[in-house]
Coordinates of all heavy atoms in Angstrom, one line a residue:
S24 N 125.6 98.0 97.1 CA 126.9 97.3 97.1 C 127.6 97.4 95.7 O 127.0 97.4 94.6 CB 126.6 95.8 97.3 OG 126.2 95.7 98.7
L25 N 129.0 97.5 95.7 CA 129.9 97.2 94.6 C 130.3 95.8 94.5 O 130.8 95.4 95.6 CB 131.0 98.3 94.6 CG 132.0 98.2 93.4 CD1 132.6 99.6 93.2 CD2 133.0 97.0 93.7
L26 N 130.0 95.2 93.4 CA 130.4 93.7 93.3 C 131.2 93.6 92.1 O 131.0 94.0 91.1 CB 129.2 92.8 93.2 CG 128.1 92.9 94.3 CD1 126.8 92.5 93.8 CD2 128.6 92.0 95.5
W27 N 132.6 93.1 92.4 CA 133.5 92.9 91.3 C 134.4 91.7 91.7 O 134.8 91.5 92.9 CB 134.2 94.1 91.0 CG 134.7 94.1 89.6 CD1 134.4 93.3 88.6 CD2 135.8 94.8 89.2 NE1 135.2 93.6 87.5 CE2 136.1 94.5 87.7 CE3 136.7 95.8 89.7 CZ2 137.2 95.1 87.0 CZ3 137.8 96.4 89.1 CH2 137.9 96.1 87.6
E28 N 134.7 90.8 90.7 CA 135.6 89.6 90.9 C 134.8 88.8 92.0 O 133.6 88.5 91.7 CB 136.9 90.1 91.3 CG 137.9 89.0 91.2 CD 138.5 88.6 92.5 OE1 138.2 89.2 93.6 OE2 139.3 87.6 92.5
K29 N 135.4 88.6 93.1 CA 134.7 87.9 94.1 C 134.6 88.6 95.4 O 134.4 88.1 96.5 CB 135.4 86.5 94.5 CG 135.4 85.6 93.2 CD 136.1 84.3 93.6 CE 136.0 83.2 92.5 NZ 136.6 82.0 92.8
K30 N 134.5 90.0 95.2 CA 134.6 90.9 96.5 C 133.4 91.8 96.4 O 132.7 92.0 95.4 CB 135.9 91.8 96.5 CG 137.1 90.9 96.7 CD 137.1 90.2 98.0 CE 138.5 89.4 98.2 NZ 138.5 88.8 99.6
R31 N 133.0 92.3 97.5 CA 131.9 93.3 97.7 C 132.4 94.4 98.7 O 133.0 94.2 99.6 CB 130.8 92.5 98.3 CG 129.6 93.3 98.8 CD 128.5 92.4 99.4 NE 127.3 93.0 99.8 CZ 126.9 93.3 101.1 NH1 127.7 92.9 102.0 NH2 125.8 93.9 101.3
I32 N 131.8 95.6 98.3 CA 132.0 96.8 99.1 C 130.7 97.4 99.3 O 129.9 97.7 98.5 CB 132.9 97.8 98.5 CG1 134.3 97.2 98.3 CG2 133.0 99.2 99.3 CD1 135.2 98.1 97.4
A33 N 130.1 97.2 100.6 CA 128.7 97.7 101.0 C 128.7 99.2 101.5 O 129.5 99.4 102.3 CB 128.1 96.6 101.9
I34 N 127.7 99.8 101.0 CA 127.4 101.2 101.6 C 126.0 101.3 101.9 O 125.1 101.4 101.4 CB 127.7 102.2 100.4 CG1 129.1 101.9 99.8 CG2 127.6 103.7 101.0 CD1 129.3 102.6 98.5
P35 N 125.7 101.5 103.3 CA 124.5 101.6 103.9 C 124.0 103.0 103.7 O 124.7 104.0 104.0 CB 124.6 101.3 105.3 CG 126.0 101.5 105.6 CD 126.7 101.3 104.5
V36 N 122.7 103.1 103.1 CA 122.1 104.5 103.0 C 120.9 104.6 103.7 O 120.0 103.6 103.7 CB 121.9 104.8 101.6 CG1 121.2 106.1 101.4 CG2 123.2 104.6 100.7
A37 N 120.7 105.6 104.5 CA 119.4 105.8 105.3 C 118.7 107.0 105.0 O 119.3 108.0 104.5 CB 119.6 105.7 106.8
V38 N 117.4 107.0 104.9 CA 116.6 108.2 104.6 C 115.5 108.4 105.6 O 114.8 107.5 106.1 CB 115.8 108.0 103.1 CG1 114.9 109.3 102.9 CG2 116.9 107.5 102.2
D39 N 115.3 109.6 106.1 CA 114.2 110.0 107.0 C 113.0 110.2 106.2 O 112.5 111.3 106.0 CB 114.6 111.3 107.8 CG 113.6 111.5 108.9 OD1 112.6 110.8 109.1 OD2 113.8 112.5 109.7
T40 N 112.3 109.0 105.9 CA 111.3 109.1 104.9 C 110.2 109.9 105.4 O 109.5 110.6 104.6 CB 110.9 107.7 104.5 OG1 112.0 107.0 103.8 CG2 109.7 107.6 103.6
D41 N 109.8 109.8 106.6 CA 108.6 110.5 107.1 C 108.9 112.0 107.0 O 107.9 112.8 106.6 CB 108.3 110.1 108.5 CG 107.6 108.8 108.8 OD1 107.2 108.4 107.8 OD2 107.8 108.0 109.8
A42 N 110.0 112.5 107.4 CA 110.4 113.8 107.3 C 110.3 114.3 105.8 O 109.7 115.4 105.4 CB 111.6 114.3 107.9
V43 N 110.9 113.4 104.9 CA 111.0 113.9 103.5 C 109.5 113.8 102.9 O 109.2 114.8 102.1 CB 111.7 112.7 102.8 CG1 111.5 112.9 101.3 CG2 113.1 112.8 103.1
V44 N 108.6 113.0 103.3 CA 107.3 112.8 102.8 C 106.4 114.0 103.3 O 105.7 114.6 102.6 CB 106.5 111.5 103.2 CG1 104.9 111.5 103.0 CG2 107.2 110.4 102.6
V45 N 106.6 114.4 104.7 CA 105.8 115.5 105.3 C 106.1 116.7 104.4 O 105.2 117.7 104.1 CB 106.0 115.5 106.6 CG1 105.4 116.9 107.3 CG2 105.3 114.4 107.4
A46 N 107.5 116.9 104.3 CA 108.0 118.3 103.6 C 107.4 118.2 102.1 O 107.0 119.2 101.6 CB 109.5 118.3 103.4
S47 N 107.4 117.0 101.5 CA 106.8 116.9 100.0 C 105.5 117.2 100.1 O 104.8 117.9 99.2 CB 107.1 115.5 99.5 OG 106.7 115.4 98.2
L48 N 104.6 116.6 101.0 CA 103.1 116.9 101.1 C 102.9 118.4 101.2 O 102.0 118.9 100.7 CB 102.6 116.1 102.3 CG 102.6 114.6 102.1 CD1 102.0 113.9 103.4 CD2 101.6 114.2 100.9
K49 N 103.6 119.1 102.1 CA 103.4 120.5 102.4 C 103.6 121.3 101.0 O 102.9 122.2 100.8 CB 104.4 121.0 103.4 CG 104.0 120.6 104.8 CD 105.0 121.1 105.8 CE 104.6 120.7 107.3 NZ 105.7 121.1 108.3
R50 N 104.5 120.9 100.3 CA 104.8 121.6 99.0 C 103.6 121.3 98.0 O 103.1 122.2 97.3 CB 106.1 121.2 98.3 CG 107.4 121.6 99.1 CD 108.6 121.4 98.2 NE 108.7 120.0 97.9 CZ 109.5 119.2 98.7 NH1 110.1 119.7 99.8 NH2 109.7 118.0 98.3
E51 N 103.3 120.1 97.9 CA 102.3 119.6 96.9 C 101.0 120.2 97.3 O 100.2 120.4 96.2 CB 102.3 118.0 96.9 CG 103.6 117.4 96.3 CD 103.4 115.9 96.2 OE1 102.6 115.3 96.9 OE2 104.1 115.3 95.5
L52 N 100.7 120.4 98.5 CA 99.2 120.9 98.9 C 99.3 122.3 98.6 O 98.1 123.1 98.7 CB 99.0 120.5 100.3 CG 98.7 119.1 100.6 CD1 98.6 118.7 102.2 CD2 97.4 118.6 99.8
T53 N 100.3 123.1 98.3 CA 100.2 124.4 97.9 C 99.9 124.6 96.4 O 99.7 125.6 95.8 CB 101.5 125.2 98.2 OG1 102.6 124.6 97.6 CG2 101.7 125.1 99.8
G54 N 100.0 123.4 95.7 CA 99.6 123.5 94.1 C 98.3 123.1 93.8 O 97.3 123.2 94.7
S55 N 98.1 122.5 92.8 CA 96.7 122.1 92.3 C 96.1 121.1 93.4 O 94.9 121.1 93.4 CB 96.8 121.5 91.0 OG 97.6 120.3 90.8
N56 N 96.9 120.3 94.0 CA 96.3 119.4 95.0 C 95.7 120.1 96.2 O 94.7 119.5 96.7 CB 97.4 118.5 95.5 CG 97.8 117.4 94.6 OD1 97.0 116.7 94.0 ND2 99.3 117.3 94.4
G57 N 95.9 121.3 96.4 CA 95.4 122.1 97.4 C 93.9 122.4 97.2 O 93.2 122.8 98.1
F58 N 93.4 122.1 96.0 CA 92.0 122.4 95.7 C 91.3 121.1 95.7 O 90.0 121.0 95.3 CB 91.9 123.1 94.3 CG 92.5 124.4 94.2 CD1 93.9 124.6 93.8 CD2 91.8 125.6 94.7 CE1 94.5 125.8 93.8 CE2 92.5 126.9 94.7 CZ 93.9 126.9 94.3
D59 N 91.8 120.0 96.1 CA 91.2 118.7 96.0 C 91.1 118.2 97.5 O 92.1 117.9 98.2 CB 92.1 117.7 95.3 CG 91.5 116.4 95.0 OD1 90.5 116.0 95.7 OD2 92.0 115.7 94.2

């Protein structure tokens, strides 16, 4: 939200967190984490 004077402008943001996390895990498991 932008807040100024006595007004507000709201901007909703959504993230497909599960998809982001799975993609991140796939990348991370190809690095040093892949040996753990």
